[in-house]
Amino acid sequence: VFDAHFGPFYGNGWKQRGVIIVLHDITNLKRLEKMRSDFVANVSHELKTPVTSVKGFSETLLGGEVNDEATTRTFLEIIYNESERLDRLIRDLLHLSRIENKVTPLNLSSVDLISLIHSIEKTLSKSISEKSLTVTLPPSTDEVTIEGDSDRLNQILLNLVANSINYTGEGGSINISVEVTEFDVHIYIRDTGIGIPEESVPRVFERFYRVDKARSRNSGGTGLGLAIVKHLVDSHQGDIKLDSIEGEGTTFTVTFPIRQP
Ligand code: ADP
């Protein structure tokens, strides 16, 4: 996309000698503008859905037409769950904007990835046992230390492992392993879940992109998790990629430099 400006070109004696045409390539600018307006539209839509529910169900309750206790309770539960979703959405949005604008610098220290992985498994143990998943972790006696921000590293791995739990059916398995090379550490998070269709693979790190909106909503997802993860990995000069086979499973690979350059 080009933006063109025309003007006369004068030679000696103010005689017009030609025309100057200045072309600016504004493809990038247009793309950014479009991304911003898409984002605003997405945010508005994501916020509108729970607000509509909260409003509708509370109006019905206030209207006094619901007399039995069980229905009242169901409606209140919906209102509560939708408020929780709003809360999560707003928190994720604020978080994303804070990391995108690099408001808080990394708080670097030596972080042992193995104990981090074990503590994440403990945090998620309830949903792991609810779905009877088999989780394999690196031996807790191992130690793999990198220089990073422990809160953010925790968030990266927590989001990825929570996703593999969410998108894996009952009785499935999750395998987390760590490999150390000369300068880097690779963390693999493998699941035997529903997988991601090939055409969606390049898009899952986009804000609000979900393969299956209904499924993500039901499991409480905001569609912002992987966008946040990608930013946090980038801020550590790391890299994230994924391999997936639909219906068979997904592997996320996160690579970090051992020392921050
Ligand atoms: P959500 O809140 O919807 O989980 P994310 O940004 O974390 O949002 O992930 C984006 C989408 O990527 C999900 O909606 C899901 O479709 C897909 N996805 C992420 N992780 C996995 C996984 N381990 N297996 C299958 N699909 C996944």
Side-chain angles (χ1 to χ4, degrees), residues 146 180-186 255-259:
I146 64 164
V180 185
T181 58
E182 194 179 355
F183 300 111
D184 299 313
V185 171
H186 306 284
T255 302
F256 291 119
I258 292 172
R259 294 257 155 266

Side-chain angles (χ1 to χ4, degrees), residues 163-164 167 191 195-196 204 209-211 216 221-223 225-226 250 252:
N163 273 351
S164 31
Y167 299 104
D191 66 54
I196 299 171
V204 291
Y209 183 84
R210 292 111 148 187
V211 176
S216 154
T222 60
L226 286 182
T250 306
F252 278 90

